[in-house]
């Protein structure tokens, strides 16, 4: 009974607290938009070159330095989680706009 009350209290706070629900819905929207964009870029990897397998391998290898930079940026006190996320989103958006031009 105690666990059920705790779960109900958590959902009550999540959906009825204005600040928390705004953050929750913003995170859900960001997750959906980033997943959709990543899926689109992965599906477009075949257009990078003549062979779909080589293009997919090159697209995968390009992500490895990004993982290392992301881990470093999150652990750096000056940049942190918010700075790494914001700058990563801004840089990714800039690159997508640049590739469309």
């Amino acid at each position: 009974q105690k666990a059920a009350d705790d779960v109900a209290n958590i959902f009550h706070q999540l959906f009825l607290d204005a600040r928390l629900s705004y953050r929750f819905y913003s995170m859900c929207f960001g997750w959906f938009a980033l997943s959709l964009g990543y899926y689109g870029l992965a599906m477009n990897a075949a257009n990078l070159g003549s062979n779909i397998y080589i293009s997919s391998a090159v697209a995968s290898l390009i992500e490895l330095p990004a993982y290392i930079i992301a881990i470093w940026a999150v652990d750096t006190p000056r940049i942190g989680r918010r700075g790494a996320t914001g700058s990563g989103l801004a840089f990714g958006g800039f690159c997508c706009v640049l590739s469309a031009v």
Side-chain angles (χ1 to χ4, degrees):
Q1 182 65 11
K2 173 91 169 115
D5 290 339
D6 289 342
V7 171
N9 189 23
I10 289 170
F11 282 117
H12 178 70
Q13 285 180 350
L14 182 63
F15 293 115
L16 296 180
D17 183 24
R19 192 176 80 183
L20 193 58
S21 66
Y22 173 75
R23 290 179 180 175
F24 174 72
Y25 290 128
S26 298
M27 292 289 289
C28 287
F29 176 75
W31 175 77
F32 177 75
L34 289 172
S35 296
L36 190 64
Y38 188 79
Y39 179 74
L41 290 173
M43 291 293 116
N44 198 27
N47 295 333
L48 289 176
S50 61
N51 190 351
I52 189 170
Y53 301 110
I54 294 175
S55 298
S56 295
V58 168
S60 298
L61 289 175
I62 289 173
E63 291 181 15
L64 292 177
Y67 292 144
I68 295 169
I69 292 170
I71 291 170
W72 171 81
V74 169
D75 288 338
T76 303
R78 184 174 178 154
I79 299 172
R81 196 171 27 108
R82 284 186 182 181
T85 302
S87 59
L89 289 172
F91 181 71
F94 175 74
C95 289
C96 286
V97 168
L98 191 66
S99 69
V101 173

